Amino acid sequence: MASFLLPPNLSLLPTDKFLTFQSQNRRITRRTFLTHKWKCSATEQPKHGFKRITTSSIDVDKGTNPVGFLNKHGITHKAFAQFLRERHKAMKDLQDQIFNRFANIMELASGYELMGLHRNVQHRADYMEWAPGARYCALIGDFNGWSPTEDSAREGLLGHDDYGYWFIILEDKLREGEKPDDYYFQQYNYVDDYDKGDSGVTMEEVFKRMDEEYWEPGEDNYMKTRFEVPAKLYEQIFGPNGPQTEEELPDILDAKTRYEAYKEKHKDDPKSNLPPLDVIDNGKEYDIFNVVTDPAWKKKFRSKKPPFPYWLELRKGRKAWLKKYAPAVPHGSRYRVYFNTPSGSLERVPAWATYVLSDVDGKQSCAVHWDPPPEIAYKWKNMRPQVPNSLRIYECHVGISGSEPKISSFHEFIENVLPHVKKAGYNAIQLMGVIEHKDYFTVGYR
């Protein structure tokens, strides 16, 4: 039996029918299932006896086989078994919903890279917000005089989708006397190459170098003359003086007959750099043709990296961007997000804001756009901590973390609370109420 001199771990399931006592040697010595629920109040304890079903010496480190595990351990509690099945079905349904929208869990957890306000490489700022119940969304702040109509999500132009995401584009303003970029896709590096200007390389020079250094003979033929292939195919089918109108168009043979005739005609042609493909038809009705490629060509195609280095030669730096454009949202600008809902209009601090300050009176918080020049930006002094094998999360709120009747500061939290959290064995913290909240009294429950 586990010694209670060691700190036991106590686990309560949502139904309050299952208690587990676990000692530090990672072996469960006793499991008890209760047929009566405990009350929240200490004065309302159950008056009847309990029906106990006990299993002993179960090694949790080996895991549990979910197939028939209830019967294997002698568990006949029907309510508990049904509860597990419902929870498992709810988990599978939720997983299906997630994967209908995202490719994997990693993509789902990387929303912070898209949500909120981010600078785009093409001299603009992008803002994305999730508000499925809103009818209108706009970004207001110092940069537009807090106008709810100046910078809003435009319906039908990536502004609002069926999943409740709102997308706002804030274009940088061209400075007086400057000409727009020659290419609409002109990119700027706002951090690494902040002192880089116009390299003078033209698009024609980039294409010429790609033809000479990157593309092999024949690979870029389609890019140069994309109508050459259909024109030659049309000429092969109808001849040099083929029909010009739909009325003159004769009956066209089926695809299989035309393909076999084309293959027979070109069976002695030399190999080229074009993809060597073949089509296999199993002859079944409603069958899908299988397109087979040459394995050597496929391996060669997949090993070829995109020609990004040639395009990056056209990229400019931060100083070139500031010389030509005025930022749509300058560094240090305060902003909030504005919604129009069926209940009326409201404003909020964006949930993905990275810097939040309160007004002098403390009644309203505002997000602050933090985009400092590289020469004054903060440089990390410490290495990123290693990711632990398993998370032990301590939920905390900085403002109510102190023992004195006041709002605690982050410095007090670091000095007084974090050492206690680390000593208790936790390796991660979850901060609540960081951005804004109405009061501290019930923040943990709201």
Side-chain angles (χ1 to χ4, degrees):
M1 186 172 182
S3 173
F4 280 90
L5 296 178
L6 299 175
N9 295 332
L10 179 61
S11 174
L12 291 176
L13 262 66
T15 55
D16 292 336
K17 296 181 180 179
F18 176 82
L19 295 179
T20 300
F21 291 94
Q22 179 180 349
S23 64
Q24 288 184 347
N25 59 6
R26 300 291 294 168
R27 294 182 63 84
I28 295 179
T29 58
R30 182 164 183 164
R31 288 185 177 180
T32 303
F33 297 88
L34 311 180
T35 58
H36 296 274
K37 294 184 179 180
W38 288 86
K39 302 295 183 180
C40 295
S41 174
T43 60
E44 298 182 1
Q45 300 297 337
K47 300 179 181 180
H48 305 285
F50 303 111
K51 179 182 178 182
R52 293 181 172 85
I53 302 174
T54 304
T55 61
S56 42
S57 300
I58 302 174
D59 197 340
V60 297
D61 289 335
K62 295 182 180 180
T64 302
N65 184 2
V67 180
F69 74 97
L70 294 176
N71 294 330
K72 290 180 181 179
H73 298 304
I75 301 174
T76 58
H77 199 293
K78 295 183 179 180
F80 178 67
Q82 183 63 25
F83 166 76
L84 285 183
R85 295 189 183 96
E86 292 176 356
R87 289 291 296 269
H88 186 255
K89 182 179 182 301
M91 183 272 293
K92 293 195 298 183
D93 294 342
L94 181 60
Q95 189 179 38
D96 293 339
Q97 294 179 15
I98 292 175
F99 290 150
N100 284 336
R101 172 64 173 167
F102 301 96
N104 48 46
I105 297 296
M106 181 61 70
E107 183 182 356
L108 170 65
S110 302
Y112 66 94
E113 298 179 352
L114 297 175
M115 307 300 293
L117 186 60
H118 297 276
R119 174 142 292 282
N120 193 287
V121 294
Q122 297 177 4
H123 52 79
R124 73 170 198 252
D126 297 338
Y127 179 81
M128 184 177 288
E129 182 66 58
W130 184 72
R135 299 182 298 190
Y136 177 83
C137 179
L139 203 64
I140 59 177
D142 296 333
F143 56 92
N144 59 10
W146 301 90
S147 171
T149 59
E150 185 72 19
D151 298 292
S152 61
R154 294 169 293 179
E155 196 73 30
L157 298 173
L158 299 178
H160 186 209
D161 64 4
D162 297 335
Y163 293 93
Y165 289 90
W166 297 85
F167 187 67
I168 301 175
I169 298 177
L170 301 99
E171 296 284 353
D172 294 336
K173 300 175 178 59
L174 192 67
R175 296 186 185 275
E176 186 177 356
E178 295 289 339
K179 296 181 180 180
D181 290 316
D182 296 333
Y183 315 112
Y184 71 92
F185 50 82
Q186 178 66 59
Q187 294 187 1
Y188 290 87
N189 190 324
Y190 303 98
V191 181
D192 298 334
D193 299 333
Y194 70 96
D195 58 347
K196 182 179 179 181
D198 193 347
S199 59
V201 180
T202 62
M203 184 64 65
E204 290 74 17
E205 295 180 22
V206 171
F207 273 116
K208 183 178 180 180
R209 287 186 54 192
M210 289 175 59
D211 293 341
E212 297 174 353
E213 302 173 2
Y214 183 80
W215 298 113
E216 296 183 13
E219 285 185 337
D220 61 334
N221 185 52
Y222 176 74
M223 297 177 60
K224 291 182 177 179
T225 55
R226 61 182 60 191
F227 297 108
E228 181 179 349
V229 174
K232 287 185 177 180
L233 182 61
Y234 182 85
E235 186 176 343
Q236 290 175 3
I237 297 177
F238 302 108
N241 299 318
Q244 303 297 320
T245 62
E246 188 175 353
E247 289 75 13
E248 300 175 2
L249 190 67
D251 295 335
I252 302 177
L253 299 177
D254 60 283
K256 182 178 180 180
T257 303
R258 288 187 282 111
Y259 170 71
E260 291 178 351
Y262 174 82
K263 189 174 180 181
E264 179 66 23
K265 181 179 179 181
H266 296 276
K267 63 180 180 179
D268 298 327
D269 292 354
K271 294 184 178 180
S272 65
N273 284 316
L274 297 177
L277 306 177
D278 203 351
V279 181
I280 298 178
D281 181 14
N282 295 329
K284 298 179 181 179
E285 189 176 3
Y286 305 114
D287 189 20
I288 300 176
F289 291 164
N290 296 320
V291 180
V292 182
T293 62
D294 182 13
W297 177 86
K298 182 186 294 186
K299 182 178 179 181
K300 173 185 174 183
F301 175 78
R302 290 185 174 179
S303 62
K304 202 175 189 66
K305 297 181 180 180
F308 288 142
Y310 298 94
W311 292 98
L312 292 181
E313 290 191 22
L314 301 174
R315 185 177 59 184
K316 301 178 183 179
R318 184 185 181 95
K319 288 188 175 180
W321 162 66
L322 288 176
K323 180 177 179 298
K324 180 169 290 190
Y325 294 96
V329 185
H331 168 59
S333 299
R334 299 176 304 160
Y335 68 94
R336 291 170 66 89
V337 61
Y338 172 90
F339 297 110
N340 184 287
T341 68
S343 302
S345 60
L346 57 88
E347 299 178 12
R348 288 289 184 268
V349 170
W352 287 268
T354 57
Y355 187 7
V356 179
L357 288 177
S358 300
D359 286 345
V360 178
D361 55 5
K363 294 182 178 180
Q364 176 174 282
S365 300
C366 292
V368 178
H369 180 55
W370 191 256
D371 187 24
E375 56 267 20
I376 65 172
Y378 178 80
K379 304 295 189 302
W380 290 103
K381 302 176 182 178
N382 302 308
M383 299 293 293
R384 181 187 295 271
Q386 295 183 355
V387 179
N389 295 329
S390 62
L391 288 178
R392 295 173 176 84
I393 304 174
Y394 186 91
E395 186 182 85
C396 48
H397 190 290
V398 175
I400 61 176
S401 61
S403 57
E404 300 180 10
K406 68 172 187 176
I407 299 176
S408 299
S409 65
F410 277 92
H411 291 289
E412 293 171 336
F413 177 79
I414 293 173
E415 295 177 359
N416 303 327
V417 181
L418 278 186
H420 164 73
V421 173
K422 181 176 177 58
K423 186 178 180 180
Y426 296 92
N427 55 22
I429 60 174
Q430 176 182 340
L431 297 179
M432 300 174 57
V434 176
I435 296 179
E436 67 175 345
H437 41 80
K438 295 184 180 297
D439 60 79
Y440 281 88
F441 183 69
T442 58
V443 66
Y445 301 96
R446 290 186 177 180

